[in-house]
Amino acid sequence: MNHEIDFPAGIWEPFAKSRPPVRCSPGYLIYLQGTQATCFYFLKSGRVKSFIQSEDGAERVLNLYRAGSLFGEASFFDELPRVSSAVALTPCEIIAIDRELVTQEFARNPDLALAMMQYLARTVRLLSGQVDQMAFRPARWRVANYLLTLAAGTGIVSCTQDDIAAAVSASRVTVSRVLGEFSSRGWVELGYRMIRLREPKKLRELV
């Protein structure tokens, strides 16, 4: 899932100007599912994963965020407990955006408030699309679509097969089989915790 579609690069930078970033090491748990959301976050650098966890410990990846993204905003605005957790995948710099800061920036820049409303609406639409994909699309389609989303602009996906399996609601065996097929066709190149899209056009034709 990609929340940044159609949003100008750097649109959320005003949130980063008035406060210094907090540095996080890989594996740092930024927030926990079920806790109260007193702030949301601007990711200045690095990569962050959001995920949900069931009572038996099963995990499903919801999104992978790159530098320039917002995350954790939905629970902040609806004032209900967080529905997911977020963890740093790489060394990160994050800026916590609380009510004081968001009110200050919206008053200074009303266009930013409008962009935030569009962003939240887009999130709902993309989540609805994700539910449709998980329910009705075959595994090959889901894997290809996920790779294209994560590799947008770079051609490289940095994640494990377990991450992909959790994100597309498929078993790791199924994901391994699909990636093996894509690799044998020359569409992707498989590496350690990395997948390079060699023929993204073929993947787009599939989806």
Side-chain angles (χ1 to χ4, degrees), residues 6 10 24 40 46 50 59 67-68 78 88-89 108 118 120 127 132 138-139 144 157 165 167 183 201 207:
D6 296 339
C24 306
F40 62 106
S50 67
E59 179 183 305
D78 71 14
L89 292 178
R108 182 180 298 163
Q118 293 172 332
L120 291 169
L127 282 170
D132 172 68
V157 175
S183 176
K201 181 180 178 182
V207 302

Side-chain angles (χ1 to χ4, degrees), residues 60-61 133-134 139 142-144 146 163-171 175:
R60 178 174 176 191
V61 178
Q133 293 169 17
M134 295 306 104
R142 301 200 307 265
V143 172
Y146 189 69
D163 289 336
I164 298 173
V168 305
S169 294
S171 70
V175 169

Side-chain angles (χ1 to χ4, degrees), residues 104-117:
Q104 169 187 309
E105 291 301 330
F106 283 176
R108 182 180 298 163
N109 184 359
D111 287 343
L112 193 63
L114 178 60
M116 181 64 70
M117 292 175 64

Side-chain angles (χ1 to χ4, degrees), residues 139-140 143 170-179:
R140 293 172 76 250
V143 172
S171 70
R172 189 186 185 282
V173 172
T174 297
V175 169
S176 179
R177 174 178 55 77
V178 170
L179 290 176

Side-chain angles (χ1 to χ4, degrees), residues 69-134:
S69 301
L70 296 180
F71 63 99
E73 74 288 341
S75 296
F76 172 83
F77 284 108
D78 71 14
E79 299 184 334
L80 295 174
R82 295 195 185 277
V83 297
S84 64
S85 302
V87 64
L89 292 178
T90 66
C92 294
E93 292 182 310
I94 61 174
I95 294 170
I97 304 169
D98 56 20
R99 299 202 180 278
E100 179 184 358
L101 179 56
V102 80
T103 300
Q104 169 187 309
E105 291 301 330
F106 283 176
R108 182 180 298 163
N109 184 359
D111 287 343
L112 193 63
L114 178 60
M116 181 64 70
M117 292 175 64
Q118 293 172 332
Y119 182 81
L120 291 169
R122 185 68 53 79
T123 299
V124 172
R125 181 182 296 272
L126 289 171
L127 282 170
S128 298
Q130 189 181 46
V131 170
D132 172 68
Q133 293 169 17
M134 295 306 104

Side-chain angles (χ1 to χ4, degrees), residues 1-5 7 63 65 70 73 119 122-123 126:
M1 194 168 56
N2 184 355
H3 288 190
E4 296 127 281
I5 297 173
F7 285 92
N63 206 351
Y65 297 96
L70 296 180
E73 74 288 341
Y119 182 81
R122 185 68 53 79
T123 299
L126 289 171

